[in-house]
């Protein structure tokens, strides 16, 4: 059902589903005018198509998408999936397409507008969707570390600010984006409450949530409490057509203040019966949409090859167990999330995808690639970076163009785009459009 096609026509029904705005509808442009600028640089399938699409967030900002980014839908994705932030049924359709076609979508933790734009650039080069996510610490940094974070005010403001930036720019790049937030432990639930309040206000105006989804990580709590709180939040999120990612079992290592380096080895591996408990309770929530971050030996951080002992068979066994429980014809009823993949063997990653992983978190590797770009820039231009005036070209020569912050930041973006290209390839997430 998702075969390739050279046509990108948008049916009236799909067009209506694609326009969530409650206010007076915007004028829509044709979805059949192909850009003829043969001299434009190659930017993947989107440039080849260059089709206009209906008004969205960018139009409200006075930045309508034109030419390469103005596609209405994609030939190989469900018609509900469109450029920009996807929510509700479009989000479900995209994740189901990933599971059926055996690819996983990279989920990258972002802390600045630069890291967001880097993700969008990489996704466009790969002709693939991407998940952009913010942690509580990353959200606070996005707001500015000088801002008071009492009651997580700065983290809430940073996440909301980042969400609006993603919404504005994702459409300009012409790629579908799942807008997500990462690990929310029990003490961070006020942060989640603030973001949900923002989505509730956004939903009242636009009939879709600000964010696509949120993660609740109560893996350190008793399983029953973990499930009960997730059910409570899923009931609230379901009214907004949002998806919940929940975690059970523990992902080892340390990430963004969550330290499980001394975790009991048994807790690093979830049991099928535990995953079934989660699936049964969350499936009972009307309009409930969810993914499961089950533990199968995952460890946050970076480790030498061979030191991370993954057991993807846990996911396969859980799929079989749950499919039998619900008498489902779907051999993979659960959509799994892969945390802590740095240092994992590629064959384990591929096997996990075969067992229903649709999302893989990436943080440690992109942190390094971003730094590596800055480091490389400094090493290359060090003689020009020691003073404002004076360099190997002359004692009175200015160095402004070398210490301009945009120069090392762009170098960092380029190395990270390249690293993400490898991630897209490893996850079978290339040429998805």
């Amino acid at each position: 059902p998702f075969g390739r096609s050279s046509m990108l026509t948008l049916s009236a029904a799909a067009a209506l589903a694609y326009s969530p705005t409650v206010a007076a509808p915007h004028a829509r442009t044709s979805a059949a005018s192909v850009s003829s600028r043969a001299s434009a640089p190659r930017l993947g399938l989107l440039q080849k198509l260059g089709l206009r699409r209906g008004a969205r967030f960018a139009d409200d900002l006075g930045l309508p998408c034109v030419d390469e980014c103005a596609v209405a839908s994609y030939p190989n994705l469900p018609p509900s999936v469109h450029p920009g932030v996807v929510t509700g049924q479009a989000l479900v359709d995209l994740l189901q397409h990933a599971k059926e076609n055996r690819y996983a979508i990279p989920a990258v933790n972002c802390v600045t507008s630069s890291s967001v734009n880097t993700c969008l650039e990489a996704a466009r080069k790969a002709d693939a969707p991407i998940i952009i996510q913010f942690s509580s610490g990353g959200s606070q940094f996005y707001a500015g570390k000088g801002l008071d974070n009492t009651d997580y005010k700065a983290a809430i403001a940073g996440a909301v600010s980042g969400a609006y930036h993603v919404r504005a720019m994702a459409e300009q790049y012409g790629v579908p984006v799942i807008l997500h937030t990462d690990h929310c432990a029990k003490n961070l639930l006020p942060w989640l409450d603030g973001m949900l309040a923002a989505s509730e206000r956004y939903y009242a105006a636009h009939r879709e949530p600000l964010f696509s989804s949120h993660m609740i990580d109560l893996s350190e709590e008793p399983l029953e409490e973990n499930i009960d709180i997730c059910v409570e939040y899923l009931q609230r999120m379901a009214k907004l057509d949002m998806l919940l990612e929940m975690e059970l079992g523990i992902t080892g290592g340390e990430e963004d203040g969550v330290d499980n380096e001394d975790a009991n080895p048994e807790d690093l591996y979830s049991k099928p019966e535990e995953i079934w408990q989660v699936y049964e309770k969350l499936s009972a929530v009307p309009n409930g949409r969810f993914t499961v971050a089950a533990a199968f030996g995952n460890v946050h951080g970076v480790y030498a090859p061979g030191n991370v002992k993954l057991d993807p068979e846990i996911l396969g066994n859980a799929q079989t167990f749950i499919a039998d429980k619900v008498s489902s014809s779907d051999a993979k009823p659960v959509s799994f999330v892969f945390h802590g993949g740095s240092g994992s063997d590629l064959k384990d990653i591929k096997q996990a995808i075969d067992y229903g992983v649709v999302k893989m978190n990436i943080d440690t590797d992109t942190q390094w690639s971003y730094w590596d770009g800055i480091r490389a820039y400094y090493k290359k231009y060090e003689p020009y970076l020691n003073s404002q005036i004076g360099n190997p070209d002359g004692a009175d020569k200015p160095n402004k163009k070398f210490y301009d912050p945009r120069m090392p930041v762009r170098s960092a973006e380029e190395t990270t785009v390249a690293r993400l290209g490898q991630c897209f390839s490893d996850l079978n997430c290339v040429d998805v459009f």
Side-chain angles (χ1 to χ4, degrees), residues 1 87 93 118 166 263 310 317 349 403 415:
T87 63
D93 291 345
T118 299
V166 172
L310 290 180
N317 293 338
I349 294 174
Y403 64 75
T415 53

Side-chain angles (χ1 to χ4, degrees), residues 196-247:
L196 286 176
S199 272
E200 286 165 344
R201 291 189 294 271
Y202 195 88
Y203 191 93
H206 302 283
R207 256 191 338 204
E208 73 169 344
L210 179 61
F211 294 87
S212 308
S213 54
H214 296 292
M215 179 195 181
I216 295 179
D217 179 3
L218 303 178
S219 56
E220 295 185 336
E221 313 302 328
L223 181 59
E224 290 73 17
E225 181 182 2
N226 182 352
I227 295 174
D228 288 345
I229 293 176
C230 285
V231 167
E232 178 184 343
Y233 273 92
L234 183 57
Q235 289 170 338
R236 181 180 179 185
M237 295 169 67
K239 297 174 183 177
L240 305 174
D241 296 327
M242 298 185 78
L243 180 143
L244 170 69
E245 176 187 327
M246 73 85 65
E247 180 166 346

Side-chain angles (χ1 to χ4, degrees), residues 414-432:
E414 290 171 343
T415 53
T416 304
V417 167
R419 181 63 183 88
L420 283 173
Q422 179 186 336
C423 296
F424 279 103
S425 178
D426 290 347
L427 299 181
N428 305 328
C429 192
V430 177
D431 295 330
V432 174

Side-chain angles (χ1 to χ4, degrees), residues 170-204:
E171 296 183 13
Q172 298 297 323
Y173 281 84
V175 297
V177 174
I178 297 173
L179 180 52
H180 184 68
T181 59
D182 204 10
H183 295 273
C184 178
K186 190 174 183 180
N187 65 305
L188 294 174
L189 288 174
W191 171 56
L192 176 56
D193 290 332
M195 293 185 292
L196 286 176
S199 272
E200 286 165 344
R201 291 189 294 271
Y202 195 88
Y203 191 93

Side-chain angles (χ1 to χ4, degrees), residues 96-417:
Q96 184 63 24
H97 184 266
K99 186 160 55 172
E100 290 175 354
N101 290 274
R102 301 196 177 198
Y103 66 89
I105 304 173
V108 187
N109 285 61
C110 292
V111 297
T112 65
S113 59
S114 171
S115 51
V116 168
N117 296 345
T118 299
C119 290
L120 296 173
E121 181 180 348
R124 182 159 174 167
K125 285 180 178 290
D127 281 335
I130 194 166
I131 300 172
I132 291 177
Q133 59 189 27
F134 302 101
S135 66
S136 61
S139 298
Q140 182 187 1
F141 190 86
Y142 204 101
K145 293 290 283 186
L147 195 61
D148 179 21
N149 197 38
T150 302
D151 298 326
Y152 302 103
K153 289 187 295 185
I156 294 168
V160 171
S161 173
Y164 275 94
H165 176 80
V166 172
R167 279 191 168 273
M169 297 312 301
E171 296 183 13
Q172 298 297 323
Y173 281 84
V175 297
V177 174
I178 297 173
L179 180 52
H180 184 68
T181 59
D182 204 10
H183 295 273
C184 178
K186 190 174 183 180
N187 65 305
L188 294 174
L189 288 174
W191 171 56
L192 176 56
D193 290 332
M195 293 185 292
L196 286 176
S199 272
E200 286 165 344
R201 291 189 294 271
Y202 195 88
Y203 191 93
H206 302 283
R207 256 191 338 204
E208 73 169 344
L210 179 61
F211 294 87
S212 308
S213 54
H214 296 292
M215 179 195 181
I216 295 179
D217 179 3
L218 303 178
S219 56
E220 295 185 336
E221 313 302 328
L223 181 59
E224 290 73 17
E225 181 182 2
N226 182 352
I227 295 174
D228 288 345
I229 293 176
C230 285
V231 167
E232 178 184 343
Y233 273 92
L234 183 57
Q235 289 170 338
R236 181 180 179 185
M237 295 169 67
K239 297 174 183 177
L240 305 174
D241 296 327
M242 298 185 78
L243 180 143
L244 170 69
E245 176 187 327
M246 73 85 65
E247 180 166 346
L248 76 159
I250 290 177
T251 300
E254 189 274 336
E255 181 180 46
D256 202 17
V258 179
D259 190 348
N260 292 321
E261 290 188 339
D262 297 322
N264 185 333
E266 289 186 1
D267 293 334
L268 299 179
Y269 300 92
S270 299
K271 301 176 179 61
E273 295 81 4
E274 295 172 335
I275 300 172
W276 161 243
Q277 281 183 260
V278 171
Y279 184 90
E280 182 180 32
K281 291 292 181 68
L282 295 186
S283 294
V285 175
N287 198 42
R289 301 175 168 101
F290 62 93
T291 56
V292 179
F296 57 105
N298 327 49
V299 180
H300 284 137
V302 60
Y303 300 88
N307 287 348
V308 177
K309 306 296 184 183
L310 290 180
D311 185 6
E313 290 292 341
I314 287 174
L315 305 182
N317 293 338
Q319 296 283 25
T320 301
F321 185 87
I322 293 171
D324 288 344
K325 283 284 187 181
V326 298
S327 300
S328 173
S329 58
D330 183 355
K332 296 184 287 188
V334 186
S335 294
F336 283 118
V337 174
F338 189 162
H339 285 245
S342 298
S344 301
D345 192 297
L346 185 57
K347 69 177 180 59
D348 288 334
I349 294 174
K350 301 284 190 183
Q351 187 177 20
I353 293 172
D354 287 342
Y355 288 143
V357 163
V358 295
K359 168 182 183 274
M360 182 171 173
N361 283 17
I362 300 164
D363 188 23
T364 302
D365 291 336
T366 48
Q367 285 179 341
W368 171 257
S369 64
Y370 200 93
W371 157 247
D372 198 36
I374 293 174
R375 182 177 65 92
Y377 179 85
Y378 178 77
K379 290 179 69 174
K380 182 176 181 179
Y381 295 108
E382 183 177 2
Y384 299 84
L385 297 171
N386 293 314
S387 62
Q388 287 187 288
I389 298 175
N391 59 49
D393 299 329
D396 60 346
K397 296 293 184 180
N399 295 317
K400 185 178 186 302
K401 68 178 181 181
F402 296 101
Y403 64 75
D404 182 332
R406 290 173 293 183
M407 304 302 289
V409 166
R410 181 54 188 162
S411 179
E413 291 173 350
E414 290 171 343
T415 53
T416 304
V417 167

Side-chain angles (χ1 to χ4, degrees), residues 75-99:
N76 300 314
L77 289 176
S80 61
V81 179
H82 53 77
V85 173
V86 294
T87 63
Q89 191 59 46
L91 168 58
V92 172
D93 291 345
L94 177 57
L95 295 180
Q96 184 63 24
H97 184 266
K99 186 160 55 172

